[in-house]
Amino acid sequence: MAEAIKSWVMAKGLQPGDRLPSESALIARFGMAKGTIREAIRLLEAQGLVTSRTGPGGGVFVHRVSDQRAATLLGNYFYFQDLTIEDVYQIREALEPELAASLAGKLDAGQLAELEDIMTRYAAPARDIGEERDQHIASLLFHARLAEMSQNPLLGFLIRFTANMLSDITVSRRLYAQLNRELWASGVGFQTRLIAALHDGDATAAREIMAEHMRTARRLMRLQETVLTQRFLAEGDLL
Amino acid sequence: MAEAIKSWVMAKGLQPGDRLPSESALIARFGMAKGTIREAIRLLEAQGLVTSRTGPGGGVFVHRVSDQRAATLLGNYFYFQDLTIEDVYQIREALEPELAASLAGKLDAGQLAELEDIMTRYAAPARDIGEERDQHIASLLFHARLAEMSQNPLLGFLIRFTANMLSDITVSRRLYAQLNRELWASGVGFQTRLIAALHDGDATAAREIMAEHMRTARRLMRLQETVLTQRFLAEGDLL
DNA sequence: CCCAATTTGTTCGTATGTATC
DNA sequence: AGATACATACGAACAAATTGG
């Protein structure tokens, strides 16, 4: 029944911002009771396709599915799969270099400045765990912003999604607290060289710099996961 | 309010198949009216997190989000972005070779046989448009099955998703009707060599074969899109 | 085959909250 | 401040589907 409304909306070619008929109008049109209509609207709302506002001029409106919503919905799917950090890095290692290459020479001065600005947030080594965590988040933000600059919506979404998913995993497992200095050192150097390559329009260099960074991060993460497992075995009640 | 139920479910650590309290029980527990509870359940249902059955022994059950559902939900997001075929191929060109490499030497005889079986469906050149369409679908099935064999759930999902999205786009635009013989010829040859490399456990060869196939398909698709645009201009009412 | 119990699904009437004019 | 228009919430009744005796 939500499908009926959805296809009706698509048939009418409604665009984001357009208003759906009011509840009473939908009741009349589809010949269903208020509760049923409302449940159908909830189905659409959960998918992020509509939003509703109360009051005069309010109603139900077509809404473009937000990046956030799409990521959450897709995250629900992987909640039941058992993804490893290694799985996520396999994707990043394939996609991030591609992104870097495709952006070489395409960014304006403002965008390059923004990336440099983010970089300054971890120009200095972290002095405590809190700073270390902040730097880790900021470095993921660097990738997320880069992804938003992509002309390819699919590529941009996937990179933001994997970066966020990694952020969730690592923060929840407190991996960031153990990240060693090597990652920090390689991270700053990498971004400096990457921004230069992007500025110069050197796609090959940008790709290779990013690829190397991914390989390094993946290797370090792999080490951390080993450490983590050892800790679990040492601390927890042994089987 | 659906979030309250969702977090309650996660707090209880319910697993797929576990039953949620009945509507009346939820009404008692959360102190809300039946309609409100039902709307909340619809929100979870739309996300694919629960399903419900009527009758004795029925109720609302935790459900692992299906592949299908996740793909549909993610597809809604991209409905509002304007994705091009080129965008999708940029992802495939990055991911498919990675998949091929990671599966080299990991498939058993049954899996290899299944891939060969799919291949036989387009061993001969298509004689009419209908056959051509079937072959196009079958070739996408080849990629989808290969993706399901991946040990990486994220990689598998993304490849199935991009292949399906491409299938939707091309079928709806009737591109398949224009696919030329070069794609068919290269397709069969590619799969034969790919299966051999997978069997031999030659990851490097598998990656390169797939990469070459993707480059070829992407190039041909690009030509087709040009043709399609020209047709629109020739046929439709000119501006 | 039918009957009864259980649980979700649907309907209606009414009341409340909220934002606009 | 008050009227209006809209979504939101409540409660009671009835319908449909499924299972077991």
Side-chain angles (χ1 to χ4, degrees), chain B residues 1 31-36 39 54-56:
Chain B
M1 317 219 152
M32 289 183 293
K34 181 183 169 96
T36 311
E39 288 183 21
T54 63

PDB file of all heavy atoms in Angstrom, chain B residues 1 31-36 39 54-56, chain D residues 8-14 16-19:
ATOM      1  N   MET B   1      10.354   7.303  18.324  1.00  0.00           N
ATOM      2  CA  MET B   1       9.599   6.265  19.040  1.00  0.00           C
ATOM      3  C   MET B   1       9.907   4.896  18.457  1.00  0.00           C
ATOM      4  O   MET B   1       9.911   3.900  19.176  1.00  0.00           O
ATOM      5  CB  MET B   1       8.107   6.559  18.903  1.00  0.00           C
ATOM      6  CG  MET B   1       7.831   8.049  19.095  1.00  0.00           C
ATOM      7  SD  MET B   1       6.337   8.363  20.009  1.00  0.00           S
ATOM      8  CE  MET B   1       6.703   9.938  20.775  1.00  0.00           C
ATOM      9  N   GLY B  31       3.434   2.340  26.902  1.00  0.00           N
ATOM     10  CA  GLY B  31       2.374   3.271  27.263  1.00  0.00           C
ATOM     11  C   GLY B  31       1.886   4.103  26.103  1.00  0.00           C
ATOM     12  O   GLY B  31       1.539   5.263  26.265  1.00  0.00           O
ATOM     13  N   MET B  32       1.876   3.503  24.911  1.00  0.00           N
ATOM     14  CA  MET B  32       1.400   4.241  23.741  1.00  0.00           C
ATOM     15  C   MET B  32       0.211   3.515  23.113  1.00  0.00           C
ATOM     16  O   MET B  32      -0.029   2.347  23.395  1.00  0.00           O
ATOM     17  CB  MET B  32       2.526   4.408  22.728  1.00  0.00           C
ATOM     18  CG  MET B  32       3.598   5.401  23.202  1.00  0.00           C
ATOM     19  SD  MET B  32       4.880   5.668  21.981  1.00  0.00           S
ATOM     20  CE  MET B  32       5.674   4.071  21.954  1.00  0.00           C
ATOM     21  N   ALA B  33      -0.478   4.261  22.272  1.00  0.00           N
ATOM     22  CA  ALA B  33      -1.668   3.687  21.647  1.00  0.00           C
ATOM     23  C   ALA B  33      -1.263   2.707  20.553  1.00  0.00           C
ATOM     24  O   ALA B  33      -0.132   2.718  20.055  1.00  0.00           O
ATOM     25  CB  ALA B  33      -2.542   4.786  21.065  1.00  0.00           C
ATOM     26  N   LYS B  34      -2.200   1.871  20.199  1.00  0.00           N
ATOM     27  CA  LYS B  34      -1.940   0.840  19.205  1.00  0.00           C
ATOM     28  C   LYS B  34      -1.434   1.420  17.891  1.00  0.00           C
ATOM     29  O   LYS B  34      -0.458   0.930  17.324  1.00  0.00           O
ATOM     30  CB  LYS B  34      -3.236   0.052  18.969  1.00  0.00           C
ATOM     31  CG  LYS B  34      -3.124  -1.070  17.976  1.00  0.00           C
ATOM     32  CD  LYS B  34      -4.504  -1.716  17.798  1.00  0.00           C
ATOM     33  CE  LYS B  34      -4.533  -2.666  16.625  1.00  0.00           C
ATOM     34  NZ  LYS B  34      -4.304  -4.059  17.041  1.00  0.00           N
ATOM     35  N   GLY B  35      -2.111   2.463  17.428  1.00  0.00           N
ATOM     36  CA  GLY B  35      -1.718   3.052  16.153  1.00  0.00           C
ATOM     37  C   GLY B  35      -0.278   3.532  16.169  1.00  0.00           C
ATOM     38  O   GLY B  35       0.474   3.318  15.209  1.00  0.00           O
ATOM     39  N   THR B  36       0.115   4.156  17.256  1.00  0.00           N
ATOM     40  CA  THR B  36       1.482   4.681  17.370  1.00  0.00           C
ATOM     41  C   THR B  36       2.496   3.555  17.329  1.00  0.00           C
ATOM     42  O   THR B  36       3.518   3.638  16.641  1.00  0.00           O
ATOM     43  CB  THR B  36       1.619   5.454  18.686  1.00  0.00           C
ATOM     44  OG1 THR B  36       0.532   6.353  18.806  1.00  0.00           O
ATOM     45  CG2 THR B  36       2.913   6.231  18.718  1.00  0.00           C
ATOM     46  N   GLU B  39       2.809   2.248  13.843  1.00  0.00           N
ATOM     47  CA  GLU B  39       3.599   3.130  12.978  1.00  0.00           C
ATOM     48  C   GLU B  39       5.089   2.943  13.238  1.00  0.00           C
ATOM     49  O   GLU B  39       5.899   2.944  12.308  1.00  0.00           O
ATOM     50  CB  GLU B  39       3.190   4.591  13.208  1.00  0.00           C
ATOM     51  CG  GLU B  39       1.816   4.923  12.625  1.00  0.00           C
ATOM     52  CD  GLU B  39       1.446   6.388  12.792  1.00  0.00           C
ATOM     53  OE1 GLU B  39       2.354   7.209  12.987  1.00  0.00           O
ATOM     54  OE2 GLU B  39       0.248   6.707  12.717  1.00  0.00           O
ATOM     55  N   THR B  54       0.659 -12.760  10.701  1.00  0.00           N
ATOM     56  CA  THR B  54      -0.583 -12.815  11.476  1.00  0.00           C
ATOM     57  C   THR B  54      -0.784 -14.215  12.025  1.00  0.00           C
ATOM     58  O   THR B  54      -0.048 -15.135  11.688  1.00  0.00           O
ATOM     59  CB  THR B  54      -1.788 -12.440  10.607  1.00  0.00           C
ATOM     60  OG1 THR B  54      -1.900 -13.406   9.559  1.00  0.00           O
ATOM     61  CG2 THR B  54      -1.621 -11.070  10.012  1.00  0.00           C
ATOM     62  N   GLY B  55      -1.783 -14.345  12.838  1.00  0.00           N
ATOM     63  CA  GLY B  55      -2.171 -15.660  13.354  1.00  0.00           C
ATOM     64  C   GLY B  55      -1.426 -16.082  14.596  1.00  0.00           C
ATOM     65  O   GLY B  55      -0.488 -15.422  15.023  1.00  0.00           O
ATOM     66  N   PRO B  56      -1.846 -17.189  15.189  1.00  0.00           N
ATOM     67  CA  PRO B  56      -1.188 -17.718  16.382  1.00  0.00           C
ATOM     68  C   PRO B  56       0.256 -18.107  16.035  1.00  0.00           C
ATOM     69  O   PRO B  56       0.505 -18.651  14.965  1.00  0.00           O
ATOM     70  CB  PRO B  56      -1.998 -18.958  16.721  1.00  0.00           C
ATOM     71  CG  PRO B  56      -3.219 -18.905  15.883  1.00  0.00           C
ATOM     72  CD  PRO B  56      -2.948 -18.024  14.730  1.00  0.00           C
TER      73      PRO B  56
ATOM     74  P    DT D   8       3.147  13.659  11.345  1.00  0.00           P
ATOM     75  OP1  DT D   8       4.578  13.843  11.629  1.00  0.00           O
ATOM     76  OP2  DT D   8       2.697  12.575  10.473  1.00  0.00           O
ATOM     77  O5'  DT D   8       2.392  13.516  12.733  1.00  0.00           O
ATOM     78  C5'  DT D   8       2.843  14.276  13.847  1.00  0.00           C
ATOM     79  C4'  DT D   8       2.016  13.947  15.065  1.00  0.00           C
ATOM     80  O4'  DT D   8       0.625  14.263  14.842  1.00  0.00           O
ATOM     81  C3'  DT D   8       2.036  12.462  15.472  1.00  0.00           C
ATOM     82  O3'  DT D   8       2.600  12.371  16.765  1.00  0.00           O
ATOM     83  C2'  DT D   8       0.574  12.042  15.444  1.00  0.00           C
ATOM     84  C1'  DT D   8      -0.141  13.373  15.602  1.00  0.00           C
ATOM     85  N1   DT D   8      -1.539  13.430  15.083  1.00  0.00           N
ATOM     86  C2   DT D   8      -2.568  13.682  15.959  1.00  0.00           C
ATOM     87  O2   DT D   8      -2.407  13.850  17.151  1.00  0.00           O
ATOM     88  N3   DT D   8      -3.815  13.737  15.396  1.00  0.00           N
ATOM     89  C4   DT D   8      -4.125  13.559  14.053  1.00  0.00           C
ATOM     90  O4   DT D   8      -5.277  13.626  13.664  1.00  0.00           O
ATOM     91  C5   DT D   8      -2.997  13.304  13.191  1.00  0.00           C
ATOM     92  C7   DT D   8      -3.218  13.094  11.722  1.00  0.00           C
ATOM     93  C6   DT D   8      -1.780  13.253  13.733  1.00  0.00           C
ATOM     94  P    DA D   9       2.907  10.907  17.405  1.00  0.00           P
ATOM     95  OP1  DA D   9       4.031  11.008  18.360  1.00  0.00           O
ATOM     96  OP2  DA D   9       2.925   9.912  16.304  1.00  0.00           O
ATOM     97  O5'  DA D   9       1.577  10.671  18.248  1.00  0.00           O
ATOM     98  C5'  DA D   9       1.317  11.520  19.358  1.00  0.00           C
ATOM     99  C4'  DA D   9      -0.026  11.156  19.944  1.00  0.00           C
ATOM    100  O4'  DA D   9      -1.046  11.442  18.967  1.00  0.00           O
ATOM    101  C3'  DA D   9      -0.191   9.671  20.295  1.00  0.00           C
ATOM    102  O3'  DA D   9      -0.355   9.564  21.698  1.00  0.00           O
ATOM    103  C2'  DA D   9      -1.452   9.225  19.528  1.00  0.00           C
ATOM    104  C1'  DA D   9      -2.116  10.546  19.190  1.00  0.00           C
ATOM    105  N9   DA D   9      -2.921  10.521  17.956  1.00  0.00           N
ATOM    106  C8   DA D   9      -2.471  10.305  16.689  1.00  0.00           C
ATOM    107  N7   DA D   9      -3.416  10.348  15.767  1.00  0.00           N
ATOM    108  C5   DA D   9      -4.565  10.604  16.497  1.00  0.00           C
ATOM    109  C6   DA D   9      -5.913  10.762  16.112  1.00  0.00           C
ATOM    110  N6   DA D   9      -6.332  10.680  14.851  1.00  0.00           N
ATOM    111  N1   DA D   9      -6.819  11.015  17.095  1.00  0.00           N
ATOM    112  C2   DA D   9      -6.390  11.084  18.357  1.00  0.00           C
ATOM    113  N3   DA D   9      -5.155  10.949  18.832  1.00  0.00           N
ATOM    114  C4   DA D   9      -4.282  10.716  17.847  1.00  0.00           C
ATOM    115  P    DC D  10      -0.411   8.109  22.361  1.00  0.00           P
ATOM    116  OP1  DC D  10       0.155   8.287  23.711  1.00  0.00           O
ATOM    117  OP2  DC D  10       0.139   7.087  21.444  1.00  0.00           O
ATOM    118  O5'  DC D  10      -1.973   7.884  22.530  1.00  0.00           O
ATOM    119  C5'  DC D  10      -2.731   8.885  23.212  1.00  0.00           C
ATOM    120  C4'  DC D  10      -4.199   8.555  23.125  1.00  0.00           C
ATOM    121  O4'  DC D  10      -4.654   8.758  21.771  1.00  0.00           O
ATOM    122  C3'  DC D  10      -4.559   7.110  23.480  1.00  0.00           C
ATOM    123  O3'  DC D  10      -5.377   7.098  24.630  1.00  0.00           O
ATOM    124  C2'  DC D  10      -5.296   6.575  22.246  1.00  0.00           C
ATOM    125  C1'  DC D  10      -5.712   7.851  21.534  1.00  0.00           C
ATOM    126  N1   DC D  10      -5.825   7.690  20.058  1.00  0.00           N
ATOM    127  C2   DC D  10      -7.079   7.798  19.449  1.00  0.00           C
ATOM    128  O2   DC D  10      -8.071   8.003  20.151  1.00  0.00           O
ATOM    129  N3   DC D  10      -7.177   7.667  18.105  1.00  0.00           N
ATOM    130  C4   DC D  10      -6.078   7.459  17.383  1.00  0.00           C
ATOM    131  N4   DC D  10      -6.216   7.353  16.061  1.00  0.00           N
ATOM    132  C5   DC D  10      -4.783   7.349  17.981  1.00  0.00           C
ATOM    133  C6   DC D  10      -4.701   7.471  19.308  1.00  0.00           C
ATOM    134  P    DG D  11      -5.556   5.708  25.436  1.00  0.00           P
ATOM    135  OP1  DG D  11      -5.742   6.094  26.845  1.00  0.00           O
ATOM    136  OP2  DG D  11      -4.491   4.760  25.054  1.00  0.00           O
ATOM    137  O5'  DG D  11      -6.942   5.140  24.878  1.00  0.00           O
ATOM    138  C5'  DG D  11      -8.059   6.012  24.770  1.00  0.00           C
ATOM    139  C4'  DG D  11      -9.226   5.275  24.150  1.00  0.00           C
ATOM    140  O4'  DG D  11      -9.161   5.390  22.702  1.00  0.00           O
ATOM    141  C3'  DG D  11      -9.264   3.775  24.445  1.00  0.00           C
ATOM    142  O3'  DG D  11     -10.617   3.417  24.666  1.00  0.00           O
ATOM    143  C2'  DG D  11      -8.717   3.155  23.162  1.00  0.00           C
ATOM    144  C1'  DG D  11      -9.275   4.106  22.123  1.00  0.00           C
ATOM    145  N9   DG D  11      -8.562   4.126  20.856  1.00  0.00           N
ATOM    146  C8   DG D  11      -7.205   3.936  20.662  1.00  0.00           C
ATOM    147  N7   DG D  11      -6.862   4.023  19.414  1.00  0.00           N
ATOM    148  C5   DG D  11      -8.047   4.291  18.730  1.00  0.00           C
ATOM    149  C6   DG D  11      -8.280   4.478  17.354  1.00  0.00           C
ATOM    150  O6   DG D  11      -7.460   4.464  16.431  1.00  0.00           O
ATOM    151  N1   DG D  11      -9.631   4.720  17.098  1.00  0.00           N
ATOM    152  C2   DG D  11     -10.616   4.776  18.044  1.00  0.00           C
ATOM    153  N2   DG D  11     -11.841   5.012  17.614  1.00  0.00           N
ATOM    154  N3   DG D  11     -10.405   4.584  19.345  1.00  0.00           N
ATOM    155  C4   DG D  11      -9.095   4.353  19.608  1.00  0.00           C
ATOM    156  P    DA D  12     -10.955   2.110  25.536  1.00  0.00           P
ATOM    157  OP1  DA D  12     -11.385   2.568  26.873  1.00  0.00           O
ATOM    158  OP2  DA D  12      -9.872   1.129  25.377  1.00  0.00           O
ATOM    159  O5'  DA D  12     -12.241   1.561  24.768  1.00  0.00           O
ATOM    160  C5'  DA D  12     -13.106   2.482  24.124  1.00  0.00           C
ATOM    161  C4'  DA D  12     -13.599   1.907  22.816  1.00  0.00           C
ATOM    162  O4'  DA D  12     -12.591   2.104  21.787  1.00  0.00           O
ATOM    163  C3'  DA D  12     -13.874   0.391  22.850  1.00  0.00           C
ATOM    164  O3'  DA D  12     -15.172   0.150  22.364  1.00  0.00           O
ATOM    165  C2'  DA D  12     -12.800  -0.184  21.952  1.00  0.00           C
ATOM    166  C1'  DA D  12     -12.590   0.960  20.965  1.00  0.00           C
ATOM    167  N9   DA D  12     -11.337   0.914  20.222  1.00  0.00           N
ATOM    168  C8   DA D  12     -10.087   0.667  20.719  1.00  0.00           C
ATOM    169  N7   DA D  12      -9.138   0.681  19.814  1.00  0.00           N
ATOM    170  C5   DA D  12      -9.811   0.947  18.629  1.00  0.00           C
ATOM    171  C6   DA D  12      -9.379   1.086  17.303  1.00  0.00           C
ATOM    172  N6   DA D  12      -8.099   0.968  16.929  1.00  0.00           N
ATOM    173  N1   DA D  12     -10.310   1.351  16.365  1.00  0.00           N
ATOM    174  C2   DA D  12     -11.591   1.465  16.736  1.00  0.00           C
ATOM    175  N3   DA D  12     -12.119   1.351  17.957  1.00  0.00           N
ATOM    176  C4   DA D  12     -11.163   1.098  18.867  1.00  0.00           C
ATOM    177  P    DA D  13     -15.889  -1.302  22.655  1.00  0.00           P
ATOM    178  OP1  DA D  13     -17.186  -0.992  23.280  1.00  0.00           O
ATOM    179  OP2  DA D  13     -14.918  -2.194  23.305  1.00  0.00           O
ATOM    180  O5'  DA D  13     -16.173  -1.855  21.190  1.00  0.00           O
ATOM    181  C5'  DA D  13     -16.777  -0.987  20.243  1.00  0.00           C
ATOM    182  C4'  DA D  13     -16.293  -1.371  18.867  1.00  0.00           C
ATOM    183  O4'  DA D  13     -14.859  -1.199  18.798  1.00  0.00           O
ATOM    184  C3'  DA D  13     -16.541  -2.836  18.476  1.00  0.00           C
ATOM    185  O3'  DA D  13     -17.598  -2.895  17.535  1.00  0.00           O
ATOM    186  C2'  DA D  13     -15.199  -3.288  17.865  1.00  0.00           C
ATOM    187  C1'  DA D  13     -14.423  -1.980  17.718  1.00  0.00           C
ATOM    188  N9   DA D  13     -12.979  -2.143  17.784  1.00  0.00           N
ATOM    189  C8   DA D  13     -12.223  -2.434  18.879  1.00  0.00           C
ATOM    190  N7   DA D  13     -10.934  -2.505  18.631  1.00  0.00           N
ATOM    191  C5   DA D  13     -10.848  -2.252  17.266  1.00  0.00           C
ATOM    192  C6   DA D  13      -9.759  -2.188  16.388  1.00  0.00           C
ATOM    193  N6   DA D  13      -8.496  -2.379  16.766  1.00  0.00           N
ATOM    194  N1   DA D  13     -10.015  -1.901  15.091  1.00  0.00           N
ATOM    195  C2   DA D  13     -11.289  -1.709  14.719  1.00  0.00           C
ATOM    196  N3   DA D  13     -12.397  -1.741  15.454  1.00  0.00           N
ATOM    197  C4   DA D  13     -12.098  -2.015  16.740  1.00  0.00           C
ATOM    198  P    DC D  14     -18.214  -4.330  17.148  1.00  0.00           P
ATOM    199  OP1  DC D  14     -19.622  -4.084  16.821  1.00  0.00           O
ATOM    200  OP2  DC D  14     -17.830  -5.310  18.179  1.00  0.00           O
ATOM    201  O5'  DC D  14     -17.456  -4.708  15.798  1.00  0.00           O
ATOM    202  C5'  DC D  14     -17.402  -3.738  14.748  1.00  0.00           C
ATOM    203  C4'  DC D  14     -16.344  -4.165  13.741  1.00  0.00           C
ATOM    204  O4'  DC D  14     -15.027  -4.058  14.315  1.00  0.00           O
ATOM    205  C3'  DC D  14     -16.476  -5.621  13.230  1.00  0.00           C
ATOM    206  O3'  DC D  14     -16.486  -5.588  11.826  1.00  0.00           O
ATOM    207  C2'  DC D  14     -15.229  -6.289  13.796  1.00  0.00           C
ATOM    208  C1'  DC D  14     -14.256  -5.122  13.815  1.00  0.00           C
ATOM    209  N1   DC D  14     -13.052  -5.281  14.683  1.00  0.00           N
ATOM    210  C2   DC D  14     -11.791  -5.134  14.123  1.00  0.00           C
ATOM    211  O2   DC D  14     -11.694  -4.884  12.919  1.00  0.00           O
ATOM    212  N3   DC D  14     -10.695  -5.269  14.913  1.00  0.00           N
ATOM    213  C4   DC D  14     -10.838  -5.527  16.210  1.00  0.00           C
ATOM    214  N4   DC D  14      -9.734  -5.638  16.954  1.00  0.00           N
ATOM    215  C5   DC D  14     -12.120  -5.681  16.806  1.00  0.00           C
ATOM    216  C6   DC D  14     -13.188  -5.553  16.018  1.00  0.00           C
ATOM    217  P    DA D  16     -12.962  -9.273   6.127  1.00  0.00           P
ATOM    218  OP1  DA D  16     -13.108  -8.774   4.752  1.00  0.00           O
ATOM    219  OP2  DA D  16     -13.884 -10.288   6.684  1.00  0.00           O
ATOM    220  O5'  DA D  16     -11.479  -9.819   6.298  1.00  0.00           O
ATOM    221  C5'  DA D  16     -10.377  -8.959   6.028  1.00  0.00           C
ATOM    222  C4'  DA D  16      -9.100  -9.670   6.405  1.00  0.00           C
ATOM    223  O4'  DA D  16      -9.012  -9.768   7.846  1.00  0.00           O
ATOM    224  C3'  DA D  16      -8.972 -11.101   5.864  1.00  0.00           C
ATOM    225  O3'  DA D  16      -7.689 -11.237   5.294  1.00  0.00           O
ATOM    226  C2'  DA D  16      -9.142 -11.970   7.108  1.00  0.00           C
ATOM    227  C1'  DA D  16      -8.566 -11.068   8.188  1.00  0.00           C
ATOM    228  N9   DA D  16      -9.035 -11.332   9.542  1.00  0.00           N
ATOM    229  C8   DA D  16     -10.331 -11.457   9.967  1.00  0.00           C
ATOM    230  N7   DA D  16     -10.453 -11.673  11.251  1.00  0.00           N
ATOM    231  C5   DA D  16      -9.144 -11.689  11.711  1.00  0.00           C
ATOM    232  C6   DA D  16      -8.591 -11.871  12.995  1.00  0.00           C
ATOM    233  N6   DA D  16      -9.326 -12.087  14.081  1.00  0.00           N
ATOM    234  N1   DA D  16      -7.244 -11.819  13.102  1.00  0.00           N
ATOM    235  C2   DA D  16      -6.518 -11.603  12.009  1.00  0.00           C
ATOM    236  N3   DA D  16      -6.918 -11.427  10.739  1.00  0.00           N
ATOM    237  C4   DA D  16      -8.259 -11.472  10.664  1.00  0.00           C
ATOM    238  P    DA D  17      -7.348 -12.518   4.366  1.00  0.00           P
ATOM    239  OP1  DA D  17      -6.689 -12.030   3.145  1.00  0.00           O
ATOM    240  OP2  DA D  17      -8.550 -13.388   4.289  1.00  0.00           O
ATOM    241  O5'  DA D  17      -6.259 -13.278   5.248  1.00  0.00           O
ATOM    242  C5'  DA D  17      -5.093 -12.562   5.632  1.00  0.00           C
ATOM    243  C4'  DA D  17      -4.390 -13.310   6.741  1.00  0.00           C
ATOM    244  O4'  DA D  17      -5.200 -13.293   7.942  1.00  0.00           O
ATOM    245  C3'  DA D  17      -4.122 -14.786   6.424  1.00  0.00           C
ATOM    246  O3'  DA D  17      -2.788 -15.050   6.776  1.00  0.00           O
ATOM    247  C2'  DA D  17      -5.090 -15.529   7.348  1.00  0.00           C
ATOM    248  C1'  DA D  17      -5.149 -14.577   8.535  1.00  0.00           C
ATOM    249  N9   DA D  17      -6.324 -14.696   9.410  1.00  0.00           N
ATOM    250  C8   DA D  17      -7.638 -14.668   9.057  1.00  0.00           C
ATOM    251  N7   DA D  17      -8.470 -14.782  10.072  1.00  0.00           N
ATOM    252  C5   DA D  17      -7.637 -14.894  11.164  1.00  0.00           C
ATOM    253  C6   DA D  17      -7.907 -15.042  12.545  1.00  0.00           C
ATOM    254  N6   DA D  17      -9.119 -15.102  13.064  1.00  0.00           N
ATOM    255  N1   DA D  17      -6.844 -15.119  13.377  1.00  0.00           N
ATOM    256  C2   DA D  17      -5.615 -15.052  12.849  1.00  0.00           C
ATOM    257  N3   DA D  17      -5.241 -14.922  11.576  1.00  0.00           N
ATOM    258  C4   DA D  17      -6.312 -14.841  10.782  1.00  0.00           C
ATOM    259  P    DT D  18      -1.906 -16.173   5.964  1.00  0.00           P
ATOM    260  OP1  DT D  18      -0.621 -15.563   5.591  1.00  0.00           O
ATOM    261  OP2  DT D  18      -2.777 -16.783   4.939  1.00  0.00           O
ATOM    262  O5'  DT D  18      -1.611 -17.261   7.080  1.00  0.00           O
ATOM    263  C5'  DT D  18      -0.946 -16.823   8.267  1.00  0.00           C
ATOM    264  C4'  DT D  18      -1.395 -17.642   9.444  1.00  0.00           C
ATOM    265  O4'  DT D  18      -2.777 -17.442   9.756  1.00  0.00           O
ATOM    266  C3'  DT D  18      -1.239 -19.151   9.277  1.00  0.00           C
ATOM    267  O3'  DT D  18      -0.106 -19.515  10.033  1.00  0.00           O
ATOM    268  C2'  DT D  18      -2.558 -19.724   9.832  1.00  0.00           C
ATOM    269  C1'  DT D  18      -3.135 -18.527  10.581  1.00  0.00           C
ATOM    270  N1   DT D  18      -4.604 -18.494  10.803  1.00  0.00           N
ATOM    271  C2   DT D  18      -5.081 -18.523  12.094  1.00  0.00           C
ATOM    272  O2   DT D  18      -4.354 -18.590  13.071  1.00  0.00           O
ATOM    273  N3   DT D  18      -6.456 -18.471  12.207  1.00  0.00           N
ATOM    274  C4   DT D  18      -7.375 -18.398  11.171  1.00  0.00           C
ATOM    275  O4   DT D  18      -8.567 -18.360  11.393  1.00  0.00           O
ATOM    276  C5   DT D  18      -6.803 -18.375   9.844  1.00  0.00           C
ATOM    277  C7   DT D  18      -7.695 -18.306   8.662  1.00  0.00           C
ATOM    278  C6   DT D  18      -5.464 -18.422   9.720  1.00  0.00           C
ATOM    279  P    DT D  19       0.634 -20.973   9.852  1.00  0.00           P
ATOM    280  OP1  DT D  19       2.089 -20.760   9.915  1.00  0.00           O
ATOM    281  OP2  DT D  19       0.029 -21.644   8.685  1.00  0.00           O
ATOM    282  O5'  DT D  19       0.193 -21.754  11.165  1.00  0.00           O
ATOM    283  C5'  DT D  19       0.381 -21.122  12.441  1.00  0.00           C
ATOM    284  C4'  DT D  19      -0.544 -21.746  13.459  1.00  0.00           C
ATOM    285  O4'  DT D  19      -1.903 -21.378  13.187  1.00  0.00           O
ATOM    286  C3'  DT D  19      -0.509 -23.279  13.493  1.00  0.00           C
ATOM    287  O3'  DT D  19       0.077 -23.703  14.696  1.00  0.00           O
ATOM    288  C2'  DT D  19      -1.989 -23.689  13.361  1.00  0.00           C
ATOM    289  C1'  DT D  19      -2.729 -22.393  13.697  1.00  0.00           C
ATOM    290  N1   DT D  19      -4.070 -22.250  13.068  1.00  0.00           N
ATOM    291  C2   DT D  19      -5.177 -22.069  13.859  1.00  0.00           C
ATOM    292  O2   DT D  19      -5.132 -22.045  15.061  1.00  0.00           O
ATOM    293  N3   DT D  19      -6.369 -21.937  13.174  1.00  0.00           N
ATOM    294  C4   DT D  19      -6.538 -21.957  11.800  1.00  0.00           C
ATOM    295  O4   DT D  19      -7.646 -21.822  11.298  1.00  0.00           O
ATOM    296  C5   DT D  19      -5.334 -22.133  11.030  1.00  0.00           C
ATOM    297  C7   DT D  19      -5.414 -22.181   9.531  1.00  0.00           C
ATOM    298  C6   DT D  19      -4.174 -22.274  11.687  1.00  0.00           C
TER     299       DT D  19
END
